[in-house]
Amino acid sequence: MTRGKQKIDAQRKSAEKNQKSKGSQLEARAVGLKVVCPICKAQLANEKQLIDHYGSKHPREKPPGPSNAE
């Protein structure tokens, strides 16, 4: 346990550290999602995820080829 000034300094440092990490990651997420499922419009990072998505969410449909994915 810390007391007095050490405690106050530790709380201040912790508050500064937590303040920097807060914020929206929507812009970073949008940059990473490049492929869109043509059926349900789900955004995926790459074509392998699109193929896996088709296997789990649209098992009766055939996944599009590499040129049709974008």
Side-chain angles (χ1 to χ4, degrees):
M1 291 282 254
T2 59
R3 296 184 183 187
K5 185 171 179 345
Q6 289 178 336
K7 183 177 179 182
I8 294 169
D9 289 342
Q11 288 175 344
R12 184 179 45 81
K13 277 186 173 180
S14 177
E16 288 175 2
K17 180 180 172 186
N18 290 338
Q19 186 179 25
K20 291 178 186 175
S21 65
K22 289 182 182 178
S24 177
Q25 295 181 354
L26 293 176
E27 295 86 17
R29 182 174 180 258
V31 169
L33 301 175
K34 300 197 185 291
V35 180
V36 177
C37 174
I39 296 174
C40 65
K41 306 298 184 209
Q43 296 179 343
L44 305 162
N46 56 31
E47 293 182 22
K48 178 167 180 358
Q49 284 185 348
L50 180 65
I51 293 169
D52 292 342
H53 171 77
Y54 261 80
S56 64
K57 302 293 182 184
H58 315 293
R60 294 182 182 174
E61 300 292 329
K62 193 173 184 182
S67 61
N68 295 340
E70 293 182 13

